[in-house]
Amino acid sequence: MAKTKQFKTESKKLLNLMINSIYTHKEIFLRELISNASDAIDRRHYLSLTDEQVSSADNYEILITQDTASRTIAIKDNGIGMTEEELIKNLGTIAQSGSQAFLEKLEKKDVDIIGQFGVGFYSAFMVASKVEITTRSPLSETGYHWVSTGESNYQIDTTDQETIGTTITLHLREDNQEDEENYSEYLEEHTIKNLVKKYSDYVRYPIKMNITKQKDDKEEVTLETLNSMTPIWKKAKSELKDEDLNTFYKRQYNDFEDPLKVIHTNVEGMLTYTALLFIPTSPPQDFYTDQFEKGLQLYSKSVFIMDKNKELLPDHFRFVRGLVDSADLSLNISREMLQHDRQLKKIAAHLEKKIKSELEKMLERDRDTYIKFYKAYGKNLKYGIYDNFGMKKDLLKDLIMFTTNKSEEYITLKEYIERKSDEQKAIYYASGSSRHQILNQPQMDAVKEKDYEVLLFTDEIDEFMVQVLGSYEDTPFKSLKQSESDLLDESKKEDLKTKEKDHKKLLKAIKKALGDKVKDVKLSGRLKDSPVCLVSGEGLSLEMEKILKQMPNQTDIKADRILEINPNHDIFAALSNIHETTPKKIDDYATLLYRQALLIEGYELDDPIDFSNQMIKLMVEASKLK
Ligand code: ADP
Ligand code: MG
């Protein structure tokens, strides 16, 4: 007795869209069904190596048959088949993330995008008014028959099918004069032949079809293999056009854009493998989240072993997509063993070097592309330096770049060192929320005079990374927001010392007023036009404190704050004056000054109302003086 079941809501939406499709590339249904057949064969083959219940087939193949009388086209495979549960789960609901994402796009009416997604099995309903499936899994007692018109439900029944595999039969729709749809063309041999060539040429299993041939006035039918089956990565590089690789990439990895970079490498010797790697032009949306899964596809002698093998890619190059095919890997090993495979580790080490050298080459020869790359993935490289206490810093330090106060163009650390004067002993950096914000920071005053170049740090990871780097080719990194001593020449230092002595009492009074809020109050030699600034002592910087505070369980972390006052600014004369005439008022002035410094640094005040009251009071007093 056939059971009737309802499609899940999202599936209904997708089906409805397929049925009423306004989409012109209906032909992709064939690619989708063939790709499912090929996946199913992969799975059967893989399981046959590890699961006693699953036998392999003598010859894996996909067979296409057409029947003009019944207007049907069938795609038959000897893959893994489906159990009843699998039929319900795999075809009654949308599980695959690509389809979900597809629906979301559609809801935003982004219809053009339709062809870019693997819309999979349901695309059959673009050309068929009814779809039938007969299938038998080695893990199931019986075969099943599934049928649906794609409206709201489907029926499942048992069959006595013995052979393992799946046949999908499409009952083609009637041709439609109005929208000029000609579904009958899918009953023609040459149409199918061309579609297989166009979309499924690299499928690893033979896609066969009966082809009618004229021979001496007689018609003869021969079973032919339509696809070349040679995986693209096995072809000689000279035979491959960029176009081929780009098309392969987009199809294989569901991207809309051509890759930014293709790395195709053949290694022979102690270790033999082919790698075809791609750097996507844009990182996937989840790239900088925990959801992102890195990894390369793994093949052995062109037979698929697994998707996203993590061991092949270090985290700092996790943006790379692609595959590795190695005859050295035994197919008879389980996934767990694969993780400890020595060959695999060696390949991974090779790939890491290869990717690095390709990136270096790009930086040298095609800087514009490198900068595009860096804008997309630079943050990930910086994390790579920071990770594992800087284990990979030497590998990555020449790949990172920064913009500076002198140019909006990215430069490398090496270039920074090359163009700085010998007199300058450190690599200076300043952190902030944006280029504009940093350039306006009071601490920039000092380097303006010196004409030093300063790296602008706007990523959260930057300062943490620099802590791990420590120096670049023996030149230490120095924050502009820490000690100023090596920015000042000797005479200026002397001058400051004298001034600090002269105003010792005032500085003490300010420090007293501020209490624990600051570690020290000093006169500043670096400020030119700005009245005050806030800097930190050695160790944790103010920026790092801000970032750490956002993390859970890190609330106690504090950077040492030092308030620096510009002795050449009018405010300093005013403070001295107040201190001498009405010392009681110094408390108010000190907190006001400190709050200004906080605001300049981009902090939110704990007590904005109190601050506002102070300002108002001051304004009223000032008006009375007139
Ligand atoms: P996807 O292939 O991206 O997972 P599809 O909509 O194309 O999405 O297919 C849904 C699921 O149905 C597949 O993941 C697979 O589990 C199952 N399936 C489809 N076709 C076959 C087939 N020929 N043999 C076995 N399982 C299949
Ligand atoms: Mg599919």
Side-chain angles (χ1 to χ4, degrees):
M1 251 278 287
K3 295 181 214 166
T4 301
K5 292 185 177 282
Q6 295 286 319
F7 286 108
K8 289 273 187 295
T9 325
E10 321 84 64
S11 303
K12 274 188 207 164
K13 276 196 225 169
L14 196 48
L15 278 165
N16 194 14
L17 200 107
M18 292 298 169
I19 292 169
N20 303 302
S21 177
I22 41 162
Y23 183 58
T24 45
H25 288 74
K26 295 188 175 183
E27 62 187 32
I28 57 124
F29 80 92
L30 188 64
R31 174 191 80 194
E32 294 300 328
L33 298 180
I34 289 174
S35 130
N36 285 350
S38 161
D39 288 351
I41 296 175
D42 277 345
R43 259 176 291 147
R44 176 170 179 186
H45 181 73
Y46 181 75
L47 281 176
S48 75
L49 304 171
T50 51
D51 189 334
E52 281 176 7
Q53 268 179 285
V54 182
S55 63
S56 64
D58 293 337
N59 292 302
Y60 289 116
E61 62 178 32
I62 299 163
L63 184 70
I64 303 179
T65 48
Q66 298 137 301
D67 182 55
T68 316
S70 61
R71 284 183 71 74
T72 55
I73 165 168
I75 294 101
K76 178 179 178 189
D77 67 65
N78 50 2
I80 191 69
M82 282 178 271
T83 63
E84 183 178 19
E85 274 171 6
E86 283 165 343
L87 271 171
I88 294 168
K89 185 169 125 279
N90 299 340
L91 304 181
T93 55
I94 305 179
Q96 199 238 9
S97 57
S99 313
Q100 277 289 8
F102 172 69
L103 259 186
E104 278 159 27
K105 287 267 184 198
L106 272 180
E107 272 162 16
K108 292 184 207 129
K109 298 256 183 308
D110 212 350
V111 183
D112 273 356
I113 222 99
I114 192 166
Q116 318 279 14
F117 283 83
V119 289
F121 170 72
Y122 293 152
S123 66
F125 288 99
M126 294 199 297
V127 298
S129 52
K130 184 164 94 177
V131 177
E132 280 184 88
I133 302 173
T134 56
T135 186
R136 172 77 195 263
S137 156
L139 306 173
S140 147
E141 298 282 297
T142 160
Y144 290 95
H145 175 242
W146 180 104
V147 58
S148 176
T149 53
E151 268 140 7
S152 60
N153 55 35
Y154 55 91
Q155 276 91 41
I156 297 186
D157 211 348
T158 53
T159 67
D160 51 15
Q161 175 178 342
E162 300 240 323
T163 47
I164 305 298
T166 304
T167 304
I168 303 205
T169 307
L170 311 188
H171 296 259
L172 293 174
R173 294 160 180 244
E174 292 303 326
D175 295 342
N176 187 334
Q177 303 295 329
E178 266 168 48
D179 61 9
E180 290 171 34
E181 285 299 347
N182 175 15
Y183 300 102
S184 301
E185 68 177 333
Y186 301 121
L187 295 170
E188 281 164 36
E189 283 171 10
H190 74 266
T191 310
I192 300 300
K193 220 171 150 176
N194 291 340
L195 287 180
V196 169
K197 215 53 195 161
K198 179 171 172 189
Y199 290 116
S200 312
D201 197 41
Y202 304 133
V203 168
R204 290 177 298 284
Y205 307 104
I207 303 168
K208 294 183 178 170
M209 188 168 75
N210 278 315
I211 303 281
T212 318
K213 287 209 164 132
Q214 290 295 126
K215 205 177 174 192
D216 308 330
D217 284 348
K218 270 194 288 180
E219 282 199 341
E220 210 181 76
V221 176
T222 58
L223 190 62
E224 282 185 19
T225 298
L226 309 181
N227 54 330
S228 71
M229 284 184 288
T230 318
I232 189 165
W233 59 93
K234 288 284 178 193
K235 291 191 181 170
K237 281 193 207 175
S238 55
E239 261 180 61
L240 283 169
K241 290 194 279 297
D242 289 352
E243 185 57 30
D244 300 334
L245 290 164
N246 290 350
T247 308
F248 172 80
Y249 164 76
K250 285 188 279 193
R251 216 168 278 153
Q252 187 94 342
Y253 302 105
N254 286 319
D255 201 347
F256 324 133
E257 292 172 292
D258 285 342
L260 189 76
K261 171 89 191 154
V262 181
I263 304 171
H264 188 188
T265 176
N266 270 309
V267 176
E268 269 171 57
M270 296 280 283
L271 203 62
T272 302
Y273 71 90
T274 301
L276 183 55
L277 309 179
F278 302 91
I279 300 177
T281 299
S282 316
Q285 293 210 325
D286 63 356
F287 184 65
Y288 286 106
T289 73
D290 293 346
Q291 257 78 62
F292 178 79
E293 266 186 79
K294 66 166 185 178
L296 298 178
Q297 293 183 313
L298 197 56
Y299 291 83
S300 174
K301 297 184 190 137
S302 302
V303 176
F304 175 81
I305 304 180
M306 72 183 293
D307 218 23
K308 301 210 170 166
N309 179 291
K310 291 190 181 65
E311 282 68 35
L312 282 169
L313 268 187
D315 279 346
H316 42 277
F317 294 148
R318 65 213 275 264
F319 45 80
V320 173
R321 309 210 59 177
L323 56 93
V324 169
D325 189 348
S326 173
D328 295 342
L329 297 170
S330 154
L331 266 181
N332 274 312
I333 49 179
S334 72
R335 285 171 195 226
E336 289 71 35
M337 278 172 67
L338 214 48
Q339 287 178 5
H340 305 290
D341 193 85
R342 281 182 52 223
Q343 300 285 34
L344 209 63
K345 288 215 167 90
K346 281 189 201 154
I347 297 176
H350 269 207
L351 291 181
E352 183 184 42
K353 271 196 212 135
K354 178 73 183 166
I355 295 166
K356 180 193 166 172
S357 78
E358 288 291 323
L359 288 174
E360 274 176 337
K361 245 191 258 168
M362 194 201 284
L363 175 59
E364 241 168 66
R365 298 179 196 171
D366 184 4
R367 195 168 173 111
D368 286 349
T369 308
Y370 188 82
I371 286 170
K372 245 196 226 165
F373 158 79
Y374 190 75
K375 282 183 176 161
Y377 304 106
K379 216 188 282 185
N380 194 66
L381 297 180
K382 294 190 254 183
Y383 273 103
I385 290 177
Y386 172 73
D387 237 16
N388 293 311
F389 310 101
M391 201 165 85
K392 293 288 176 181
K393 65 182 179 184
D394 288 330
L395 182 92
L396 301 171
K397 65 181 196 289
D398 287 313
L399 295 176
I400 57 171
M401 301 183 103
F402 297 95
T403 60
T404 74
N405 57 335
K406 292 194 174 178
S407 91
E408 289 188 53
E409 304 280 318
Y410 280 90
I411 60 162
T412 62
L413 293 173
K414 195 174 189 151
E415 288 159 349
Y416 179 97
I417 297 281
E418 277 164 8
R419 63 198 211 190
K420 79 169 180 53
S421 70
D422 289 344
E423 173 227 8
Q424 184 189 329
K425 298 291 181 233
I427 303 170
Y428 289 102
Y429 64 86
S431 310
S433 53
S434 68
R435 175 180 187 84
H436 176 80
Q437 196 258 346
I438 300 174
L439 294 183
N440 286 307
Q441 285 168 1
Q443 294 92 334
M444 293 298 284
D445 285 2
V447 284
K448 269 180 215 154
E449 205 166 279
K450 288 258 182 201
D451 196 34
Y452 284 172
E453 186 156 31
V454 179
L455 305 178
L456 307 187
F457 281 8
T458 50
D459 276 340
E460 289 193 347
I461 187 67
D462 289 341
E463 284 205 46
F464 293 91
M465 177 205 67
V466 142
Q467 297 287 315
V468 167
L469 267 181
S471 61
Y472 179 84
E473 285 173 5
D474 300 331
T475 310
F477 285 93
K478 275 256 150 98
S479 166
L480 268 197
K481 297 188 179 180
Q482 287 176 337
S483 163
E484 61 175 351
S485 71
D486 60 336
L487 282 171
L488 308 177
D489 42 38
E490 288 310 312
S491 66
K492 199 153 191 183
K493 278 189 203 166
E494 281 305 309
D495 182 43
L496 264 187
K497 252 190 202 159
T498 329
K499 279 194 180 136
E500 278 196 344
K501 242 187 218 160
D502 294 349
H503 296 92
K504 211 172 167 182
K505 275 193 185 152
L506 169 64
L507 295 174
K508 248 190 167 164
I510 298 174
K511 165 76 178 95
K512 194 167 163 235
L514 295 177
D516 284 348
K517 291 194 186 84
V518 296
K519 193 175 168 240
D520 207 355
V521 178
K522 279 184 170 169
L523 291 184
S524 183
R526 65 180 112 195
L527 298 178
K528 252 185 97 192
D529 306 321
S530 316
V532 281
C533 71
L534 202 59
V535 299
S536 65
E538 297 301 316
L540 201 65
S541 75
L542 297 172
E543 297 299 324
M544 290 166 89
E545 178 196 281
K546 272 186 220 164
I547 294 158
L548 289 175
K549 276 204 165 145
Q550 293 164 8
M551 298 182 181
N553 314 322
Q554 297 275 8
T555 41
D556 285 346
I557 269 165
K558 238 181 155 40
D560 289 338
R561 288 166 162 68
I562 299 165
L563 184 71
E564 285 190 4
I565 306 171
N566 183 352
N568 303 319
H569 195 281
D570 287 348
I571 189 67
F572 188 65
L575 285 168
S576 304
N577 192 16
I578 292 283
H579 184 54
E580 268 163 35
T581 55
T582 40
K584 268 203 290 186
K585 279 194 182 168
I586 204 72
D587 281 10
D588 264 1
Y589 274 67
T591 35
L592 208 48
L593 206 61
Y594 175 66
R595 285 163 164 173
Q596 307 269 9
L598 284 176
L599 286 174
I600 293 170
E601 272 303 311
Y603 282 94
E604 273 179 36
L605 298 179
D606 294 339
D607 39 15
I609 295 174
D610 196 48
F611 173 69
S612 161
N613 287 341
Q614 269 192 320
M615 288 292 286
I616 300 286
K617 195 170 135 197
L618 207 68
M619 285 159 83
V620 172
E621 275 175 21
S623 79
K624 282 183 190 156
L625 291 177
K626 284 255 156 137

